[in-house]
Amino acid sequence: MTVLFADVVHSMDIAAAVGAERLREIMADLVDRCAAVVRRYGGTVDKFTGDGIMAVFGAPVALEDHAVRACLAALGLQEEAKRLAAEVESRDGVELLLRVGLNSGEVITGEIGSGPFGYTAMGEHVGMAQRMESVASPGAVMLSESTARLVENSTILGKAEMVHIKGSPEPMRARRLVAVAGRGGRIGQPVSSLVGREWELAALAGMLDRAIRGHGCVAGVVGPPGIGKSRIVAETAAIAARRGVGVFSAYCESHTTEVPFYAVARLLRTAFGVEGLDDHAAAQDVVRAQVPPADPADLVLLDDTLGIRDPAVDLPDIAPDARRRRLTALVNAATLARETPGVYVIEDAQWIDQVSESLLADFLSVVSRTHFLVLITYRPDYHGALSRTPGAQTIALAPLDDTQTAALISELLGTHSSVAALAGQITERVGGNPFFAQEIVRDLADRGVLTGQGGAYAFSGLVDDVSVPATLQAAIAARIDRLGPNQKATVNAAAVIGTRFDTDMLGALVDNADVASLIEAELVEQVRFTPRAEYAFSNPLIRAVAYESQLKSDRAQLHRRLAGAIEARASADENAALIAEHLEAAGDLHAAFGWHMRAGTWLTFRDIAAALMSWRRARQVADRLPDDDPDRMSMRIESRTLLCGQAFRLGGSGAETGFEELRELCAAAGDQRSLAIGMSGLVISQNMKAHRREASRLATELIGLVESIGDPTLTIALLHTAMVAKYETAEMAEVLRLAQRVIDLAGGDLTKGSLMIKSPFALAVAMRGLARWCLGIGGWKGDLQQAIATARASPDVTMRVGAMWFAYVIHVPYGVLLPDAAALRDTAETLSIAGQSGDDLMLDLARTTRGVTLVQHGGPERDVGLDLLAMVRERCVHETFSLTILPIVDSYIAREKARLGDVDSAIELARPVVDDLFDSGGCIWTALATSALVEALVQRCGDGDLDDARAAVDRFAAVPTDPGFVLHEITLLRLRALLARAQGDEVAYRDFRDHYRDMAKTLGFEGHIAWAEAMP
Ligand SMILES: Nc1ncnc2c1ncn2[C@@H]1O[C@H](COP(=O)(O)OP(=O)(O)O)[C@@H](O)[C@H]1O
Ligand SMILES: [Mg+2]
């Protein structure tokens, strides 16, 4: 146990100045305040010494962390004393200061003496605490060596000092208590001792032991509110603390579900120990010491996520997806490198925001190889990613059984005979929910139905006369309702802030906030002391009830003020989503719209899904504005334009964007530009979903629209989307025309019109080259070389990947270029760059380019290429990537199967691809897919195969094309030659082969030249 002595400095002088009467008054006030603080930390006031108090922690109830609690209380005493001193100073003109001393040790307690609780702490340790007090400086707290040793890890202490103590010849060591380090856990003493939960706790303790030995574990603790999730986590944390294992917690809040990064930032901040460190440079040092050597850019990303980035350092130009990959890699590496065991807690995951959820799911994937136990609590209605961690254990907390509930209630009520019947009634009512039981007892005590002290109540009425609240919510509501005006104002303001709140924010919302009374009433707990006091509702349900029970208009006021306070205090961009939430709750729709949009911009560089969500929120807000609001129309258009324009970045699934609404709004407002921007995004989305015909039709409309607007920069910025859609449907004459148009308008300016992509000009050059050779027009080589050279010189990843795609993916499969050393080098470089800084779309494009090149090259890395293509295929099928890539990949996989002799599978794979392309209205990949099918049929040469092959070739030959479309002509010659040979028609074969050879040479298609030469 730890003994605390607190004494007023020079009390005799004060007495002389103010008189004995007033001194008694001051002392009574001080003692009251001190006693409350001691109780708050689970201590017991042992006696009043006339000008101070003595308190013990750890007796009569054994408290595991008595020393830390005593430290917290000591600092709390000094705070109270300071507050009182300010009053005394102004009223009496005297200085009031307190000295506090602590000492820990084994103390024999017994019935000797006459302390208020019938026991007196004994032994020389008590004397030592008093001596510590006597050597403390006024206003300070001094710890004996034994206490210091116990709290070393959780406090900030002054240097060891040698102090001389009256009556002792030898000087002894002592240390001054400076602060208690921030703790995320609960500090208040639990209301009742734990009942039941034996196997659950044993299981968690077992997992903890395994984790300590290096077999980390993730455990989900599931149950309805009040059932004891947080309690069992706290019990596990106490076991961890006894084993010397640190505990780090993060909490999700019901109002931050749509605030991206909210939970993950908090968990990482506690995990790295920078929570509450306001000095960015210092915080960065702390983080650097814990991560393995890393790329400086990665460290900036980590700082940014932790909210400790030096604003003077630019965010590296990295797409959100790459940012996420790099961050995950870095955090996972740091996690794996950490050898000290730790318990990480994520509370109330049912409210987690999506970004945090998916990032945490990534981090959790390595836990089994660490020394960590990760505990996640959530309600049964949560089925998100964190409830499905592979290999995780789940502990579903059942209601307490009647015996357990009765035991709990009898501890709360006591054993006085008058309460027995009441206990039975409560047991029946609460359905095994310990929190409900507590709330009912508190309610009855508040109402005066119960008299006496907690744990020793008496009841003087008829059980039948007592109304017991029917639900947990009602019990809480009743208690809140009885609070005084000042406490109510405080609880209301706190509820608007969230489950956790600090004094600064509270101060911004209410004058004279009275948190102490709320703690006293066990509605709120203090959870952090330094650098800023932080509090939490004892249970999120209390917060919810306090929130709901307020008048909407009052609440709106608070939300508005809070939004202002957050903006003034913290980095505005980072908190834009949170500010928007509060403004929306305040009904301030204009401002909320602005902040949602601002959040969207901030998130564009961090998480695209989250950015889209912000724009969707902005759209909702704009729609809610009254019809006669002059800004309504423009706000509705602005949010939809961004949504429609950017949705494709999420991949083929490209969530709902509401384009038709945008179209109507733009028509009503005469806003052609916004319509064109939104339409461009839709063209890309439709194309990525392989809705080829629809994409091409929209592209035609877009071209007309853009030309009618007649703004050259906008034309350059948007036409490329139409170009890509037309390319997909093999409308090459149109591609050529559009490419030339962009090239002419850009006049060589690489970055003109860089709205959606960095360099529409560079893309146009690549596309012109492509269209030219498809149509048998000269000059394509020059275009291609220029495109590759520009791409290689460009620091921009989209430009690079895009140009490499159009340089290799079509040229290599179609025999225009050979997969030579330059191609191997370019595709390797591009893949690595895309992985480092590109979004997933870019990475998949780069993988496909690399995969196709490697397979076609056929060298030692062929299998690597196939793996890449298989990976891409997987992502196509799950619609996280463009479905237009599927026919390419499938053609390659079919060819590979045929090469390895599995011709049946090859045909099975290739046939539907061909059919599908015909059905969807013509495609640039029809030639490739048809080739793969015909080659396989010819190879198998079974019954009817050659007829099938001929039918496929004829069907292909009948595809309508632009005049001079040599891509199909030369493919056809090759396929006809293959077919003739298989049919044994030597004459026809030679004829086709020779034509094929000539054509390949005339066109200068390197691949075809090689293939033609290889024909017998
Ligand atoms: N098994 C138990 N024995 C005694 N008290 C309990 C038990 N489980 C929970 N409690 C108490 O009930 C209250 C609500 O529990 P808590 O863990 O906050 O619920 P949850 O996190 O599931 O909402 C707390 O005061 C807690 O100490
Ligand atoms: Mg909880």
Side-chain angles (χ1 to χ4, degrees), residues 186 190-197 223-232 347-348 377 379 397 400 408 433-436 438 442 525 538-540:
R186 301 183 160 217
V191 186
S192 39
S193 39
L194 188 74
V195 300
R197 305 294 184 227
I227 203 71
K229 300 182 292 296
S230 303
R231 176 65 183 267
I232 203 155
E347 282 253 39
D348 292 315
T377 70
R379 296 184 184 171
L397 292 183
L400 300 179
L408 174 69
N433 186 308
F435 186 43
F436 196 3
Q438 287 173 3
R442 286 179 182 127
E525 299 168 355
S538 317
N539 189 288

